[in-house]
Amino acid sequence: MTDALELDALWEDFHRVVNMTSQELSAWLRVRYAGEETEPLPEEPGSPTGQHVLAILQKRRTDLTEDDIRVMRRVVDTVTSEADLENEPEAEDTRLRHRLMTLGHDPLKA
């Protein structure tokens, strides 16, 4: 298990890079994956990682599992490596934006 200080830092990093609310992410996953052939379970739209991020957003820190911690690390690593968090996002990069939004990070959101 992760020690308390490490978990605190990860929790803060995760909530810094995941800048969409659970409602915003849920709506995005429904829109993104809507379609006759892409949405097998209407109540659980989106990628497994997107669904896991959504579930983590609805948890308290004390309720995290090892699997949650693993996903949180992966999301923080992915978003920080793919998104330029220091500079203004470029609206033209729609594919990157959509990929990051599936993880709960909207580069255009202030």
Side-chain angles (χ1 to χ4, degrees), residues 11-106:
W11 181 263
E12 288 178 26
D13 287 345
F14 178 79
H15 283 88
R16 176 180 51 83
V17 300
V18 175
N19 63 359
M20 295 170 70
T21 66
S22 58
Q23 293 85 5
E24 290 169 333
L25 179 55
S26 179
W28 168 250
L29 293 174
R30 280 194 310 275
V31 169
R32 176 77 171 153
Y33 292 93
E36 205 170 287
E37 299 191 19
T38 59
E39 189 176 1
L41 300 172
E43 65 277 359
E44 292 184 15
S47 69
T49 302
Q51 282 298 316
H52 204 143
V53 169
L54 186 58
I56 292 168
L57 288 174
Q58 297 168 343
K59 288 186 175 189
R60 295 176 302 176
R61 184 180 348 202
T62 57
D63 296 331
L64 295 174
T65 65
E66 284 295 321
D67 198 34
D68 295 335
I69 292 168
R70 181 185 53 77
V71 169
M72 288 170 69
R73 282 189 181 119
R74 191 169 78 225
V75 167
V76 168
D77 290 346
T78 300
V79 171
T80 54
S81 68
E82 290 191 27
D84 187 354
L85 300 176
E86 300 297 318
N87 296 318
E88 286 292 314
E90 300 204 14
E92 301 85 44
D93 199 352
T94 304
R95 287 177 51 203
L96 174 61
R97 179 178 183 232
H98 288 178
R99 186 168 63 247
L100 292 172
M101 286 176 68
T102 301
L103 299 176
H105 177 78
D106 184 351

